[in-house]
Amino acid sequence: MQWYRRNRQRTAEVLAFVHADAFYERPIPLRHPFAFYEGHIPAFSFLTLNQRGLGEEPIDAALEQLFERGIDPGSADEARRHQRSDWPGRGAIADFAARCDARIERALQSAPIDDSRVPRLRRAQAAYTILEHEGMHQETLMYILHQLPYDRKQLRTSRHEDHAPPPAQMRAVAAGTATLGADRDGIAFGWDNEFERSKVEVPGFEIAAYPVTNAEWLRFVEQGGPVPHFWTKRNGEWHLRLQFEEISLPQSWPAYVTHRQAQAYAQFFGLRLPTEAQYHRAAFGSPDGRERAFPWGEELPSTRHGNFGFERFDPEPVDAHPAGASAWGVTDLIGNGWEWTATPFAPLPGFEPMASYPQYSADFFDGKHYVIKGASPVTPPELIRRSFRNWFYDDYPYMYAKFRCVTA
Ligand SMILES: [Fe+2]
């Protein structure tokens, strides 16, 4: 219940950045307008928990259907089908959302949301599903908001740190076991793609201690490499387009790039992107053979470990959080931008679509999406766990993803 209210509050704060006259705009063409998300999040929650989970009566079947699903940004056909100019007015959406909220809160408070006899309610699956679903949308809303021109949103100013980037260095990771995924009973909740737990033997390798910085990427650009989406050149100087302002390119921040760009960089320098198993090994493995819950150990994630959880809207220097380093001295693995892996998104052995959201992962096992791990500055802290897997198209330019290389 606390978590649900915290979510609703943050979603409202994110949507409050959007100027009233931009509420029906779609700054990313293959995404719905902001108005859709104001209705989608509570509609999805109501449908998943109250209607499908608990078998309750609808609130407004037409609006529930309208707001049920977003757009997969890779499907232009689907996006065209969703083109419409007759979205309900803002007041009507807010009213629908409030009715959903009331019913959801009542269910969270007093309905049998944890019922082992009902697959959708087993271990409170539907309740966790709606809570994490909303958290993920807060991040994707920030990506969409990022593409909205500065004069169409409420701006905030922040203090930005930058300094000379740390010297590039590789760290050795010994051969050993990486545990991907989790046991169904081992964690309170996981998405279907996190099961079953599987062990992978990983030969020894070397990995960069820090993600690739803007300073490093700039040298690549000077040798003909592609320019990242968030960079822009003004009067001969490179600038970075942040969520709320444009600043001169911070040298020590991670370069946010697409999978395709990251791969071009690795290839150019005779390196590779880490596989998902190598990421796990570098982040959670240790020389004594034990695996940790987090790179820094067992302590729950906090601001000293990395840049995540909406503490800031922008990146920080890649060496800002030495306390978050892994057992091998690899830093910035969680937070400050997701990390690209070389691994196409695919089910772990034993995968089963989840009862409360069967399309969640299964629709994306197409070989065109790659696994990203970690977190960005605007990833809610509840989504930070070892088995959590995120994925994106290899050329989707709007997200906050960085990368580091391993020896080929
Ligand atoms: Fe959604």
Side-chain angles (χ1 to χ4, degrees):
M1 187 65 167
Q2 292 298 319
W3 185 357
Y4 187 75
R5 291 214 169 129
R6 209 160 62 230
N7 267 351
R8 300 306 290 140
Q9 171 73 26
R10 186 183 286 131
T11 299
E13 284 165 13
V14 169
L15 286 168
F17 286 124
V18 181
H19 281 183
D21 64 358
F23 195 60
Y24 290 86
E25 293 211 359
R26 29 199 322 156
I28 298 181
L30 291 181
R31 290 283 193 189
H32 278 309
F34 294 106
F36 168 79
Y37 294 96
E38 179 139 36
H40 168 67
I41 296 170
F44 175 91
S45 297
F46 177 76
L47 286 165
T48 301
L49 179 67
N50 299 60
Q51 226 168 297
R52 293 178 189 143
L54 297 163
E56 292 182 13
E57 291 301 305
I59 292 173
D60 180 326
L63 287 181
E64 284 157 20
Q65 202 199 343
L66 174 65
F67 287 121
E68 180 170 1
R69 274 210 91 175
I71 308 177
D72 170 7
S75 162
D77 276 357
E78 196 187 329
R80 267 192 295 277
R81 276 206 307 279
H82 281 76
Q83 287 279 11
R84 54 183 301 146
S85 49
D86 56 344
W87 291 100
R90 191 161 194 177
I93 300 177
D95 178 59
F96 169 67
R99 286 156 73 201
C100 291
D101 281 340
R103 294 273 296 271
I104 295 158
E105 291 200 2
R106 203 193 317 154
L108 289 173
Q109 228 149 21
S110 54
I113 58 169
D114 187 346
D115 183 344
S116 61
R117 295 164 305 175
V118 183
R120 289 186 172 118
L121 302 179
R122 195 166 291 151
R123 310 185 78 239
Q125 188 191 88
Y128 279 109
T129 297
I130 70 168
L131 292 164
E132 292 207 0
H133 171 261
E134 179 151 11
M136 286 188 268
H137 268 299
Q138 290 166 350
E139 174 156 3
T140 51
L141 272 171
M142 294 304 287
Y143 297 159
I144 300 172
L145 184 71
H146 204 129
Q147 302 308 314
L148 190 67
Y150 293 134
D151 60 3
R152 313 295 305 278
K153 57 185 165 184
Q154 209 61 42
L155 301 182
R156 306 243 314 217
T157 47
S158 312
R159 242 172 53 81
H160 303 296
E161 294 286 334
D162 188 27
H163 50 243
Q169 44 197 299
M170 301 299 269
R171 300 272 192 248
V173 177
T177 308
T179 303
L180 308 192
D183 277 327
R184 284 184 201 277
D185 298 327
I187 53 178
F189 171 77
W191 295 92
D192 50 9
N193 65 62
E194 296 172 53
F195 307 116
E196 294 285 331
R197 188 165 67 102
S198 78
K199 292 200 177 282
V200 183
E201 288 310 314
V202 184
F205 61 99
E206 286 187 12
I207 188 165
Y210 303 102
V212 170
T213 60
N214 287 329
E216 288 171 294
W217 193 276
L218 185 56
R219 285 197 288 277
F220 182 44
V221 170
E222 286 161 358
Q223 294 173 81
V227 175
H229 173 73
F230 296 102
W231 291 22
T232 182
K233 206 171 205 174
R234 253 178 242 296
N235 308 322
E237 299 285 330
W238 286 110
H239 288 72
L240 191 60
R241 273 181 294 108
L242 304 181
Q243 178 68 273
F244 299 116
E245 60 190 310
E246 190 180 291
I247 62 172
S248 58
L249 189 70
Q251 300 294 300
S252 62
W253 292 14
Y256 284 174
V257 295
T258 68
H259 185 269
R260 222 177 268 183
Q261 291 170 334
Q263 230 167 7
Y265 181 100
Q267 212 161 30
F268 187 84
F269 291 103
L271 300 165
R272 284 176 200 272
L273 297 184
T275 62
E276 185 179 9
Q278 284 177 321
Y279 172 93
H280 268 257
R281 201 61 205 131
F284 310 114
S286 67
D288 66 14
R290 276 194 286 248
E291 286 180 284
R292 302 170 163 194
F294 303 103
W296 51 87
E298 306 305 312
E299 199 183 318
L300 289 178
S302 73
T303 49
R304 59 188 210 97
H305 298 124
N307 179 14
F308 47 73
F310 277 86
E311 292 292 327
R312 344 172 27 84
F313 295 104
D314 311 299
E316 289 184 302
V318 294
D319 56 352
H321 295 280
S326 79
W328 317 98
V330 183
T331 304
D332 221 24
L333 285 155
I334 293 188
N336 221 19
W338 294 86
E339 292 223 4
W340 283 115
T341 74
T343 303
F345 183 53
L348 296 176
F351 169 85
E352 269 178 47
M354 60 199 290
S356 57
Y357 193 173
Q359 324 86 323
Y360 175 67
S361 306
D363 284 5
F364 301 94
F365 295 144
D366 56 7
K368 296 181 195 159
H369 295 78
Y370 288 85
V371 172
I372 49 177
K373 292 287 295 182
S376 88
V378 292
T379 305
E382 294 89 354
L383 301 181
I384 294 172
R385 62 175 169 267
R386 189 170 77 186
S387 57
F388 191 90
R389 308 166 80 203
N390 199 349
W391 63 92
F392 265 98
Y393 277 107
D394 70 344
D395 62 347
Y396 194 66
Y398 306 115
M399 35 163 326
Y400 303 154
K402 63 191 193 307
F403 74 106
R404 71 185 75 217
C405 296
V406 296
T407 45

